[in-house]
Amino acid sequence: DLSTKSERNAIVEGNQYFHDGKFSDAEAAYKKALTDNPNSQMAAFNLATTFLRQAPELKNDSFPNPQQQGGDGKEPQLSQQLSSAIEILQNLAQNSPNPAIVSLAAYDLGNIAYRQQNYPQAIECYKEALRKQPKFNDARYNLRMAQLKNKDNQKNQNKNQDKDKDKDKDKDKDKDKDQNKDKDKDKDKDQNKDKDKDKQNQNQQNQQNKQQNKNGMSGQNMEQIL
């Protein structure tokens, strides 16, 4: 079969370019293999791997975290290479009849999710890789690492929730203190008002007494004498 022979030659050529670090040339070779045989799962997987090697997120160690939205409320945009790699790997993981291909595709998807700090998704991918290849030691090791990271995240989330609760309690305490202060102020105002009334009454009484001293006696005393 000329098509199969051409496909295999293109894959071998692509592999050589890949090992030499010539990823754009490897990409072209794997695409040629897929042109010759669109169902070539090996060519598809190798193409996805080549896309990952060219993804700026991997080159610059700047993987976006899909759990964290940008300032505009949208999820971070993935590069074309990373998006293409994920699409190919997901298709292989879901549809390939070859357990080895499924396992490798799930493993790579797990690594991508791990780098995105999406540890629950990484855990599921590594488990799928192990289901298809139980002796896949790298997948088993990465699964354990993802589980530990996920547990740490859950602890940190619980700590943050406890801190928020403590903040709310402190706010309520401050409100109660302010309310008690206001009540004390109101009491002081009322007491001061009562004192002012007492002073006014005393002043009035003093004025009456002065007037009585001037006249010599009060009107009541005068009546009694008469």
Side-chain angles (χ1 to χ4, degrees):
D1 189 340
L2 293 177
S3 177
T4 301
K5 185 178 180 180
S6 176
E7 169 204 337
R8 289 177 178 174
N9 287 340
I11 290 175
V12 170
E13 184 181 11
N15 290 347
Q16 187 59 54
Y17 282 133
F18 186 92
H19 290 302
D20 291 341
K22 299 177 180 179
F23 301 120
S24 59
D25 291 332
E27 176 185 338
Y30 295 137
K31 285 181 176 178
K32 182 179 182 303
L34 285 169
T35 299
D36 293 334
N37 180 11
N39 296 321
S40 175
Q41 295 172 17
M42 183 60 68
F45 178 80
N46 288 357
L47 178 60
T49 304
T50 304
F51 281 142
L52 289 177
R53 287 299 184 94
Q54 296 178 91
E57 293 91 341
L58 280 172
K59 286 183 179 180
N60 305 325
D61 195 24
S62 58
F63 252 84
N65 183 352
Q67 304 299 325
Q68 298 173 346
Q69 292 184 331
D72 56 0
K74 296 181 180 178
E75 290 186 356
Q77 189 68 35
L78 302 181
S79 67
Q80 182 60 49
Q81 292 93 335
L82 184 56
S83 297
S84 298
I86 291 174
E87 183 179 355
I88 293 170
L89 292 171
Q90 286 177 339
N91 182 56
L92 290 172
Q94 294 170 6
N95 301 316
S96 175
N98 186 333
I101 292 289
V102 172
S103 181
L104 290 171
Y107 175 76
D108 280 351
L109 288 171
N111 290 342
I112 293 169
Y114 187 97
R115 293 289 297 276
Q116 291 173 321
Q117 300 176 37
N118 189 346
Y119 301 117
Q121 182 175 327
I123 289 170
E124 291 306 314
C125 290
Y126 292 138
K127 284 182 177 179
E128 176 63 14
L130 285 167
R131 276 192 286 268
K132 298 300 181 182
Q133 291 194 104
K135 295 182 180 181
F136 196 167
N137 291 329
D138 286 346
R140 182 173 288 103
Y141 176 83
N142 286 6
L143 170 62
R144 181 58 181 158
M145 293 299 297
Q147 289 171 333
L148 291 173
K149 288 283 189 180
N150 191 48
K151 188 177 291 185
D152 288 342
N153 272 6
Q154 290 175 344
K155 286 182 180 178
N156 290 333
Q157 288 175 358
N158 291 335
K159 284 182 181 179
N160 291 334
Q161 288 176 354
D162 291 339
K163 285 182 180 179
D164 291 338
K165 287 181 181 178
D166 291 338
K167 285 181 181 178
D168 292 338
K169 287 181 181 178
D170 291 339
K171 287 180 181 178
D172 291 338
K173 286 181 181 178
D174 291 338
K175 284 182 181 178
D176 291 339
K177 286 181 180 178
D178 291 338
Q179 288 175 354
N180 290 332
K181 284 181 181 178
D182 292 338
K183 287 180 181 178
D184 292 339
K185 286 180 181 179
D186 292 338
K187 285 182 180 178
D188 291 340
K189 285 181 181 179
D190 292 338
Q191 289 176 354
N192 290 334
K193 285 181 181 179
D194 292 339
K195 287 180 180 179
D196 291 339
K197 287 182 180 179
D198 291 340
K199 284 183 180 180
Q200 289 176 356
N201 292 335
Q202 186 64 40
N203 289 336
Q204 288 176 356
Q205 185 65 40
N206 289 338
Q207 287 176 356
Q208 289 177 359
N209 290 337
K210 286 181 182 178
Q211 188 65 35
Q212 289 171 2
N213 290 333
K214 285 182 181 179
N215 297 331
M217 59 185 69
S218 68
Q220 196 175 30
N221 287 335
M222 288 175 67
E223 286 176 2
Q224 285 174 350
I225 291 173
L226 291 172

